Amino acid sequence: MARIEWVKQALDNWALWAERNRAGGLGYATQSVFLACVVDRDHEVILPVDEVDASVMDKAVSALKVPAPHLFQTLMLYYIKGIGIKGTARALGRAESTVAGNLGMADVKLAQWYTDRKAAQDTRRNAR
């Protein structure tokens, strides 16, 4: 299953945000932490982290925990642990193609979560 590019980018942002928090961030943005995240081991690529988008994605990923635990676990291993498709496949005892499919399926579920969230916000706004 093909990945949804905007969801993949949002997940990359979420992973960087989570890493910063795990490294002892206190919730206060600093320029050096925002801009010094290495996302490519061969080239230092500066990628800013959007905290608001990352915290929304964190809620979206957490929403997968109960209805789709296999997708939640795949995202945690691939993005948070950063062990790639091969490592995730080994950790889960699944084929690499299954992990790739799970990432694509997670993209679809997360995109739907965002759509549902927007619809709920619009409904609340229109009810006022």
Side-chain angles (χ1 to χ4, degrees), residues 91-113:
L92 295 174
R94 296 199 175 102
E96 291 177 32
S97 60
T98 301
V99 170
N102 285 349
L103 290 170
M105 221 181 313
D107 286 358
V108 170
K109 297 273 190 192
L110 293 169
Q112 186 61 52
W113 184 91

Side-chain angles (χ1 to χ4, degrees), residues 60-72:
V61 170
S62 293
L64 293 175
K65 201 180 282 190
V66 173
H70 65 294
L71 299 180
F72 176 79

Side-chain angles (χ1 to χ4, degrees), residues 5 7 15-16 25 35 54 65 77 90 105:
E5 192 58 35
V7 175
L16 291 172
L35 299 176
K65 201 180 282 190
L77 291 169
R90 263 194 308 275
M105 221 181 313

